[in-house]
Amino acid sequence: MTETLIENGQYNIGHICTGLQCARGLAGRTALRWLPSHGPKRDYTFGDLDLESGRFANVLASLGLVSGDIFFTFLPKMPEQFIAVLGALKARVVCGTLFTNFGEEALLDRLADSGAKAILTRRVFLPKLARIRARLPALKYVLAVDGGAAEGALDLAALMAAAPAEFKVPVTPRNTPSLLHYTSGSTGRPKGVLHCHGSVEGQAATAREILGLKPDDIYWCTADQGWVTGTSYGIIGPWSLGVTQVHYGGGYSAPRWAEILAAEKITVWYSAPTAFRMLMREDPVLFSDIKTSPLRHIFSVGEPLNPEVIAWARRAMGRDIHDTWFQTETGAIMISNRPGLEIRPGSMGKPVPDVTAAVLGKDGRELPPGTHGSLCLRPGWPGMFTAYLNNEAAYKDKFVNGWYHTSDTARKDADGYFWFDGRSDDVINTAGHLISPFEVESALLELPEVAESGVIGAPDELLFEKVVAFVHLHQGFTPSPELELKLRLHVSNKASTIATPQAIVFCEGLPKNKSGKIMRRVLKARYTGAAAGDLSTMEEEA
Ligand code: AMP
C-alpha cells in the first residue's frame, strides 16, 4: 500500500490526501464529515478538499509565500484548519498547528523561533496576537477565517473567493519539510520538531496496519490538530488511505460523544486515557448502543492506559482498547497493543513493523527483560523527524551510539511487550499534553510577588499528572486566595490553560543544587510524600 501511494517521486502529503484520492476514483467519497458544536453537519468530499486546499495553496502563493516558508494555523477544529494544512503542504510551505489554548508567551516563543511569515486564526484571537506582533518582525500576514479586516487582519473568505481552485502541486521529494510541531522540554524553550513529506509512508502504513483502517471505515480521532496525533492520525494517515473521517467541533461531552459513536456508525475510534477515564465516570447506559454498533476498534495514545480502563471498555462497550505509544518526534506509532496481538493490560504492546525498540541501561547496552531503563529506538523509521528547528545540537543529542533516546523510561518483558515507567526528564504529562515546568516557572517569575518557583507534575487519578507550583514570595507579600488566583490566571494567559497549576504551595525557599538549579525531584518527593532518592548525586546535577 505505501509503495503505491508514491507515484513518480511525488511525496507531497497535500496531494496524496486529496488529488491522488480523486485520481483513484474517490472524488465523490466523503473525506470529512464535519460536526460543528452547534448547527447542522456538513460533508466535504475528497473532491471538495482537493479544490479548497488548492485554493488555499494559491492564497499563500499570492501572498508571496514560497517553498520552505513557515505558516501557522491557530484554529480550533474546523474545516478551514484541514483545508489550510493541506493547502500549505501542497504549496510546500511548512505548516505548524498551534493549540488554541496557548497564551501570549507560548505563541511568541513558537512564532519567533520559527520566523513564521503568516498565521491563520479567528477574530477572537486577534487581540492576543496584536499584543505580541511588535516582537515578531518576520510575521507579515495575519489572516482570519471570520473576517477581521477591521482589526487589521486579511479576510480569508475574500482571499479564497479571489483565488483559483486549480493548483499544480510541485513534485515534492521525500525529505522536503512538511509539518512543524513544538514540543516541551524540561529546560529551555520549546523545540520545533520538523517533519518531512516522506513521513506519510509511516503514517499511512501504521493507519493501515495498526489502526487497521479499511476503505469503508468511518473513523474518528478526537485529538486536536495542535498536536501530532491530530495531524498524523487526524489528517494524514486516514486521508492518505481514502478513509472517511468524522471531526467534531465541540469539546468533551459524554452524551454527545456516545451519540456520535452510535449515530455516525464510527468503526474505528482513536482517543486518550483522560477522556476514557472521564467516560468511565458516566452511567454505563450511555454506551449500551455501542455494544451493537459497527465499532470495530478503539485506540488510545498520550498517557499510560490503565488496566481498569480496558476492563471498563470491555464491560461497558464490549470492546477492547488498544494502546499506542509515540511522540511528536517519532511522527507515527512506534509501539502498540494492536489488534491481533494478545493485549497485556498496562503495557504499551510491542514495536510495530519496521521499528526496533529497546530498553537501554546507563552504559548504552540493552538491559535484560524486566529491568527499567531508557526507552530507545533505532533511527530510520518512516516518519522520523528530521530536525529540531534552529537547534542542531539538541537534535544530535537525541542520538547516541546508533539509538534515538525518547526521554521515556520503560521495561520490556520476556515476551517483548514494553511497559511505560515515566519520563527521564521533568516534563509533565497532564491529560496527554506535555507541559514544560520551565515555561510555567518562567511565567510565574514575571509576577512582582514571586521570588522563586519550582514546578512539578504530581500523580493525578484523572489527568495522569497535575501541575503543582511551589512558590517562594518576595518579602512583604503573603499568600492569599486572591494571590493564588492571580498566579493561575497569569500562567493561563502567558503559557496555556492546560499549564495552569492545579495546586500552589507557598514555601520559604526552594531546594537547590550547588549550581543553583531548583531540585524538582525533591519538591515532587515533598508533595507526594515519597523518598527523594539519592540527593548527594543530585547536588551535582547540572
Ligand atoms: P508528545 O510528543 O506531546 O506526543 O508526547 C509524547 C510523550 O507522551 C511520550 O514520550 C510519553 O511520555 C507520553 N506517551 C505517549 N503515548 C503514551 C502511552 N501509550 N503510554 C504512556 N505514555 C505515553
Side-chain angles (χ1 to χ4, degrees):
M1 168 65 82
T2 49
E3 292 75 34
T4 57
L5 275 184
I6 311 304
E7 289 176 354
N8 307 318
Q10 175 57 292
Y11 282 86
N12 191 289
I13 295 173
H15 165 73
I16 289 171
C17 290
T18 62
L20 181 69
Q21 305 307 320
C22 295
R24 294 187 171 171
L26 299 183
R29 174 181 287 178
T30 300
L32 166 64
R33 168 152 297 176
W34 169 239
L35 309 179
S37 54
H38 302 288
K41 57 184 166 190
R42 183 166 168 198
D43 284 354
Y44 293 76
T45 62
F46 280 99
D48 296 333
L49 278 193
D50 190 31
L51 293 179
E52 292 305 301
S53 59
R55 223 183 273 286
F56 189 76
N58 279 320
V59 167
L60 290 183
S62 72
L63 297 176
L65 269 76
V66 295
S67 180
D69 280 346
I70 293 177
F71 157 76
F72 277 95
T73 60
F74 183 43
L75 291 173
K77 239 184 224 291
M78 62 195 307
E80 289 84 346
Q81 165 84 281
F82 302 103
I83 290 164
V85 171
L86 294 170
L89 293 173
K90 279 185 170 178
R92 300 206 302 203
V93 165
V94 179
C95 184
T97 51
L98 293 163
F99 190 43
T100 52
N101 278 15
F102 280 148
E104 283 164 36
E105 290 301 317
L107 280 176
L108 180 67
D109 280 345
R110 289 156 176 84
L111 294 169
D113 177 67
S114 62
K117 282 207 172 148
I119 183 167
L120 174 64
T121 188
R122 295 175 75 175
R123 284 175 70 181
V124 66
F125 299 126
L126 291 175
K128 208 184 255 189
L129 278 169
R131 287 196 287 274
I132 55 174
R133 184 95 190 250
R135 287 185 280 168
L136 295 167
L139 187 66
K140 276 193 166 162
Y141 303 107
V142 176
L143 291 76
V145 292
D146 47 358
E151 296 98 322
L154 299 174
D155 175 8
L156 179 70
L159 293 171
M160 290 288 271
E166 185 139 339
F167 181 84
K168 189 163 169 29
V169 182
V171 172
T172 305
R174 182 197 293 260
N175 286 331
T176 314
S178 58
L179 288 166
L180 180 64
H181 284 289
Y182 275 81
T183 188
S184 299
S186 46
T187 55
R189 295 286 165 197
K191 297 189 287 281
V193 179
L194 191 63
H195 286 280
C196 67
H197 281 265
S199 68
V200 67
E201 290 185 303
Q203 289 136 3
T206 45
R208 188 172 49 95
E209 291 163 25
I210 308 303
L211 303 183
L213 291 185
K214 297 189 180 13
D216 293 330
D217 271 323
I218 301 184
Y219 167 81
W220 183 26
C221 171
T222 61
D224 187 271
Q225 275 53 53
W227 312 107
V228 69
T229 307
T231 53
S232 291
Y233 298 105
I235 298 181
I236 307 173
W239 282 338
S240 67
L241 302 179
V243 168
T244 300
Q245 299 198 57
V246 167
H247 279 295
Y248 171 54
Y252 170 84
S253 153
R256 184 75 180 104
W257 281 30
E259 185 190 309
I260 291 172
L261 286 167
E264 298 302 333
K265 303 187 169 50
I266 302 293
T267 54
V268 180
W269 179 33
Y270 203 176
S271 198
T274 295
F276 295 129
R277 285 191 291 266
M278 284 162 79
L279 291 174
M280 257 172 89
R281 298 174 167 190
E282 304 288 337
D283 185 341
V285 159
L286 262 186
F287 310 102
S288 51
D289 281 357
I290 293 168
K291 283 192 173 153
T292 53
S293 86
L295 184 66
R296 203 167 69 246
H297 298 311
I298 310 176
F299 292 91
S300 170
V301 69
E303 325 146 47
L305 180 65
N306 336 39
E308 308 85 73
V309 179
I310 296 180
W312 160 79
R314 285 177 178 161
R315 267 195 325 272
M317 299 193 263
R319 300 289 185 279
D320 278 325
I321 302 183
H322 301 275
D323 196 12
T324 64
W325 177 95
F326 72 111
Q327 48 181 204
T328 309
E329 287 87 341
T330 72
I333 299 166
M334 298 283 104
I335 298 175
S336 176
N337 246 326
R338 57 185 171 272
L341 195 70
E342 179 216 336
I343 292 185
R344 297 221 166 148
S347 103
M348 306 187 285
K350 293 186 179 185
V352 309
D354 297 329
V355 167
T356 306
V359 176
L360 306 187
K362 285 207 165 82
D363 60 1
R365 291 214 202 129
E366 196 160 347
L367 292 168
T371 318
H372 301 267
S374 297
L375 176 62
C376 295
L377 304 166
R378 277 272 185 234
W381 64 88
M384 190 175 111
F385 72 135
T386 54
Y388 284 128
L389 202 69
N390 308 321
N391 200 342
E392 206 183 326
Y395 185 73
K396 279 197 180 140
D397 280 355
K398 293 293 278 184
F399 300 90
V400 183
N401 293 332
W403 288 99
Y404 164 77
H405 283 247
T406 65
S407 304
D408 279 4
T409 55
R411 70 191 156 83
K412 182 167 111 170
D413 67 20
D415 299 316
Y417 284 78
F418 284 75
W419 300 72
F420 178 82
D421 267 345
R423 296 278 306 185
S424 57
D425 54 21
D426 293 329
V427 167
I428 302 161
N429 185 334
T430 190
H433 302 300
L434 296 194
I435 305 286
S436 156
F438 172 80
E439 275 187 88
V440 183
E441 288 161 3
S442 307
L444 287 168
L445 284 174
E446 287 169 3
L447 291 169
E449 295 88 345
V450 177
E452 290 178 314
S453 81
V455 170
I456 57 153
D460 184 82
E461 260 187 28
L462 185 65
L463 304 171
F464 176 52
E465 287 187 320
K466 64 180 174 186
V467 179
V468 176
F470 284 77
V471 174
H472 171 203
L473 297 175
H474 279 297
Q475 246 186 348
F477 293 102
T478 44
S480 68
E482 292 74 29
L483 181 57
E484 262 192 49
L485 188 63
K486 180 176 177 185
L487 301 184
R488 285 210 175 91
L489 276 177
H490 188 73
V491 175
S492 169
N493 288 335
K494 293 293 172 135
S496 81
T497 48
I498 45 170
T500 307
Q502 303 260 328
I504 294 181
V505 182
F506 291 102
C507 54
E508 289 298 320
L510 292 169
K512 292 189 214 67
N513 67 9
K514 280 181 196 147
S515 50
K517 188 184 160 205
I518 290 167
M519 294 193 292
R520 297 191 187 110
R521 245 199 289 164
V522 176
L523 292 174
K524 193 162 183 165
R526 197 187 281 176
Y527 191 82
T528 59
D534 185 355
L535 297 185
S536 61
T537 59
M538 277 178 57
E539 283 285 299
E540 305 307 328
E541 280 176 11

